[in-house]
């Protein structure tokens, strides 16, 4: 009996040790599987987090680059527009100065011609007043001899009439030339103003482009 009981105890002890070994290996296996699964999940989470952080950093850097590009382009565009604006203003200033000088010269010439015509008219009016005075004196002086010298008086009146007609025709021709020159100056001024408007519109179109 003792031998049988010892053999049974030994078998029971071996069975218990085998069960403990099996349990230990199974627990190790399960723990390792859980560890591997947790490790894979942790690696996935880390990968996703790193990807998210990299995307966030990329978006932040991209926004910063876009802002820098916008500022650089704005600065370049403003400098370009400032240079072209200064150039356009300079061209406009020189063009307007040249047109103003041309208009001033033409108006000065027209004023000088008008003054010359006015002085000529005044001299003609003075001459006509003097001639009328002379004619009055001649008429009074020749009144007594009007009957004897009627032919000479008619001739003097005819000569005076032709002289006055010639003077009036000359004054009319001079005034006509002055009026034509004034019309020419006014038409040139209108064409220059139209040219300036077209030039301003062209400059605005260039600025917009």
């Amino acid at each position: 009996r003792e031998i049988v009981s010892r053999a049974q105890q030994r078998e029971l002890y071996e069975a218990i040790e085998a069960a403990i070994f099996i349990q230990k290996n199974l627990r190790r296996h399960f723990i390792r599987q859980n560890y591997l699964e947790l490790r894979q999940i942790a690696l996935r989470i880390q990968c996703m987090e790193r990807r998210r952080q990299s995307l966030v950093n990329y978006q932040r850097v991209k926004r910063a680059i876009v802002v820098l590009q916008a500022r650089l382009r704005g600065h370049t565009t403003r400098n370009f527009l400032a240079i072209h604006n200064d150039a356009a203003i300079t061209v406009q200033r020189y063009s307007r100065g040249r047109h103003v000088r041309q208009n001033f010269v033409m108006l000065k010439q027209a004023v000088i011609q008008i003054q010359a015509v006015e002085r000529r008219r005044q001299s003609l009016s003075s001459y006509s007043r003097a001639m009328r005075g002379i004619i009055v004196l001649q008429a009074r002086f020749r009144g007594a001899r009007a009957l004897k010298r009627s032919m000479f008086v008619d001739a003097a009146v005819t000569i005076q009439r032709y002289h006055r007609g010639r003077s009036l025709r000359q004054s009319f021709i001079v005034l006509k030339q002055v009026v034509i020159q004034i019309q020419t100056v006014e038409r040139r001024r209108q064409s220059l103003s139209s040219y300036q408007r077209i030039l301003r519109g062209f400059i605005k179109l260039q600025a917009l482009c």
Side-chain angles (χ1 to χ4, degrees):
R1 291 180 182 176
E2 292 179 359
I3 294 169
V4 173
S5 63
R6 287 180 181 177
Q8 290 178 355
Q9 288 178 359
R10 189 179 295 112
E11 289 176 1
L12 180 62
Y13 180 75
E14 289 178 357
I16 291 170
E17 286 182 354
I20 291 169
F21 181 76
I22 293 168
Q23 287 179 356
K24 182 172 65 176
N25 288 326
L26 286 174
R27 288 174 182 175
R28 184 183 296 171
H29 177 71
F30 291 146
I31 290 170
R32 184 168 181 80
Q33 284 184 351
N34 291 327
Y35 169 75
L36 292 174
E37 290 177 357
L38 291 173
R39 184 181 178 186
Q40 289 179 358
I41 293 169
L43 290 174
R44 290 179 182 176
I45 292 170
Q46 286 179 354
C47 182
M48 292 175 67
E49 181 64 22
R50 289 172 182 172
R51 187 180 296 173
R52 188 185 65 79
Q53 289 179 359
S54 64
L55 287 173
V56 170
N57 292 325
Y58 171 75
Q59 291 177 357
R60 189 182 299 110
V61 172
K62 184 179 179 180
R63 285 195 296 270
I65 291 171
V66 170
V67 171
L68 289 174
Q69 286 179 350
R71 290 182 180 177
L72 181 61
R73 289 173 183 171
H75 180 69
T76 305
T77 303
R78 284 191 294 272
N79 290 331
F80 180 76
L81 291 176
I83 292 169
H84 280 269
N85 191 13
D86 293 335
I89 290 170
T90 302
V91 172
Q92 286 179 354
R93 184 171 65 250
Y94 281 106
S95 178
R96 288 173 183 173
R98 184 172 62 83
H99 292 318
V100 169
R101 285 192 294 274
Q102 289 179 356
N103 291 327
F104 175 74
V105 171
M106 288 187 292
L107 289 174
K108 185 178 179 181
Q109 291 177 357
V111 169
I112 291 170
Q113 291 177 359
I114 291 170
Q115 287 178 351
V117 171
E118 182 63 23
R119 289 172 183 173
R120 187 178 296 174
R121 188 186 63 78
Q122 290 178 0
S123 64
L124 288 174
S125 64
S126 298
Y127 174 75
S128 63
R129 286 196 298 271
M131 287 296 294
R132 283 196 297 272
I134 292 170
I135 290 168
V136 171
L137 290 175
Q138 286 179 355
R140 289 181 181 178
F141 180 75
R142 294 174 183 177
R145 295 182 296 176
L147 295 175
K148 294 181 181 181
R149 297 182 179 180
S150 60
M151 294 177 66
F152 294 102
V153 172
D154 293 335
V157 171
T158 302
I159 291 168
Q160 289 177 354
R161 185 171 64 249
Y162 281 108
H163 179 72
R164 290 174 182 173
R166 185 172 64 83
S167 299
L168 290 174
R169 283 193 296 275
Q170 289 179 355
S171 299
F172 175 73
I173 290 169
V174 172
L175 289 174
K176 184 177 178 181
Q177 291 178 355
V178 171
V179 170
I180 290 170
Q181 291 177 357
I182 291 171
Q183 288 178 351
T184 303
V185 170
E186 180 63 23
R187 289 172 183 172
R188 188 177 297 172
R189 187 186 65 80
Q190 291 178 358
S191 64
L192 287 173
S193 63
S194 299
Y195 172 74
Q196 289 176 357
R197 288 195 298 271
I198 293 170
L199 183 63
R200 286 195 296 270
F202 182 71
I203 290 169
K204 288 181 179 179
L205 287 174
Q206 283 183 349
L208 290 174
C209 292

